[in-house]
Amino acid sequence: MECTLNCPVCDEEVEDELHIFFRCAVARDSWSAAGLPSVLHNATYQQTNAMDRIFVVCGNESSDTVGRVAMLLWCIWQNRNDMLWNDNVQMSRQIGRHAFDAWNDWYSVHKFQCNNVSGTTKADLVRWEKLALDWVKCNVDVAFVSGSGRTSMGLCFRDNSGHFMAGMTQWQQTVISSVEGEAWASLLAMEEASHRGLDRVQFDSDSKVLIDVIHMKRRGNSEFLSIVHDILNLMSSFINFEVKFVRRQANLVAHTLARAANSWASFHRFENIPFCIERLVFNEMQ
């Protein structure tokens, strides 16, 4: 087989590590789009070997900058492979923006986990708990089934005694980050509650990061925070929509539905209790 040695992205020079990450025109524009041109053009970081250049950056820049650089390098490499194998072409500003948003999402998650914003309290339920009269509880969860290439979600509405009211599953043929998936599932749950005319609902999620971000009303431009923005807008219209963090043990019904979502059409509503959660619901009512 005759294989071209040229860069598959720009097709202008022979591809090596230094070219693909630092010298390719698309890569250089991506550095600018990610807000890192000063690092790329810094005279201290002009080694002739890509590995040496990266190690010098790691030794001289702050941990935040190094993290952003690492994320950008990963995005450049991912784009290169996506173009080579799938003919999927991204603009340099898309690559840089993806790196910027992905780093911000990771940093937000890491910061919340390290600082433990809300702390672990006795209210962090490990068992499903009944609500006050006239309130509805909606357990919601997301699942990523290995090998399917899908992100799926499941939700379950139950009355204040724990009886099944309705359920829903949905999946999309794409894999997104875990925090984006949890936010997407919660937004769908609120939209479904609105569709059903439910206006006093507590939404339980086992994603502490998501619940903390919603409570702090954090906003931003990343995909994750844009979904949170939609959630906050919806909650402002339904003043009796509440969100609460619970442990996975208290969210098993939604988790089971999310895992089973691939068994049904991409969008499925349940008016009768699905067999896969029947025993779980019965046990939680005892």
Side-chain angles (χ1 to χ4, degrees):
M1 292 180 62
E2 288 188 10
C3 298
T4 178
L5 299 178
N6 277 5
C7 169
V9 179
C10 69
D11 196 30
E12 293 179 359
E13 297 181 24
V14 173
E15 181 187 44
D16 58 19
E17 293 93 338
L18 202 63
H19 173 82
I20 194 66
F21 291 120
F22 300 101
R23 291 178 175 170
C24 174
V26 174
R28 294 170 73 86
D29 289 343
S30 299
W31 280 80
S32 296
L36 294 167
S38 60
V39 178
L40 176 67
H41 300 298
N42 192 318
T44 309
Y45 311 141
Q46 301 304 315
Q47 289 73 20
T48 57
N49 176 284
M51 183 176 67
D52 291 343
R53 186 176 293 195
I54 292 169
F55 274 113
V56 173
V57 170
C58 290
N60 287 276
E61 295 290 341
S62 68
S63 60
D64 287 355
T65 300
V66 171
R68 291 169 61 194
V69 168
M71 189 67 74
L72 175 63
L73 296 178
W74 180 82
C75 289
I76 290 173
W77 183 249
Q78 184 188 48
N79 176 69
R80 179 259 187 202
N81 287 339
D82 204 22
M83 184 174 183
L84 183 64
W85 301 111
N86 302 319
D87 291 324
N88 186 16
V89 181
Q90 284 195 346
M91 304 293 288
S92 54
R93 65 175 179 274
Q94 292 175 297
I95 302 167
R97 187 66 191 178
H98 181 207
F100 182 84
D101 288 345
W103 164 252
N104 281 339
D105 282 350
W106 182 91
Y107 183 79
S108 296
V109 172
H110 183 69
K111 182 178 179 181
F112 283 124
Q113 287 176 341
C114 289
N115 294 344
N116 196 15
V117 173
S118 293
T120 301
T121 69
K122 293 180 181 178
D124 293 345
L125 299 176
V126 295
R127 181 176 172 82
W128 195 89
E129 187 178 72
K130 296 178 181 179
L131 293 179
L133 189 65
D134 295 332
W135 276 82
V136 172
K137 177 173 285 194
C138 177
N139 288 88
V140 58
D141 201 9
V142 69
F144 306 91
V145 181
S146 178
S148 70
R150 292 176 178 175
T151 301
S152 57
M153 62 81 66
L155 65 84
C156 178
F157 293 105
R158 295 161 73 176
D159 65 21
N160 63 292
S161 296
H163 294 101
F164 177 86
M165 295 174 62
M168 189 185 87
T169 59
Q170 186 168 336
W171 53 261
Q172 53 176 314
Q173 194 65 49
T174 182
V175 177
I176 56 182
S177 71
S178 59
V179 288
E180 286 177 20
E182 296 284 0
W184 167 69
S186 295
L187 178 61
L188 290 181
M190 291 185 183
E191 291 174 343
E192 181 67 8
S194 172
H195 169 78
R196 291 180 176 272
L198 304 173
D199 58 0
R200 294 169 68 88
V201 187
Q202 177 180 298
F203 299 89
D204 285 1
S205 168
D206 55 32
S207 172
K208 192 168 188 301
V209 170
L210 173 63
I211 300 305
D212 284 341
V213 170
I214 293 173
H215 284 159
M216 294 180 67
K217 294 182 168 59
R218 184 178 173 88
R219 299 180 185 271
N221 296 320
S222 69
E223 287 297 324
F224 168 54
L225 291 177
S226 67
I227 301 173
V228 171
H229 175 79
D230 292 338
I231 290 173
L232 292 171
N233 283 345
L234 197 53
M235 291 180 70
S236 68
S237 300
F238 293 86
I239 59 174
N240 287 320
F241 275 10
E242 298 179 357
V243 295
K244 186 171 186 177
F245 167 71
V246 294
R247 301 292 185 182
R248 171 61 60 81
Q249 298 96 311
N251 207 37
L252 286 177
V253 168
H255 180 69
T256 302
L257 279 175
R259 296 283 297 178
N262 287 321
S263 303
W264 299 295
S266 60
F267 178 81
H268 195 89
R269 284 193 174 106
F270 301 91
E271 306 305 328
N272 297 308
I273 186 168
F275 178 76
C276 64
I277 63 170
E278 193 171 13
R279 181 168 292 275
L280 282 172
V281 171
F282 176 79
N283 289 339
E284 288 179 347
M285 290 174 61
Q286 302 307 305

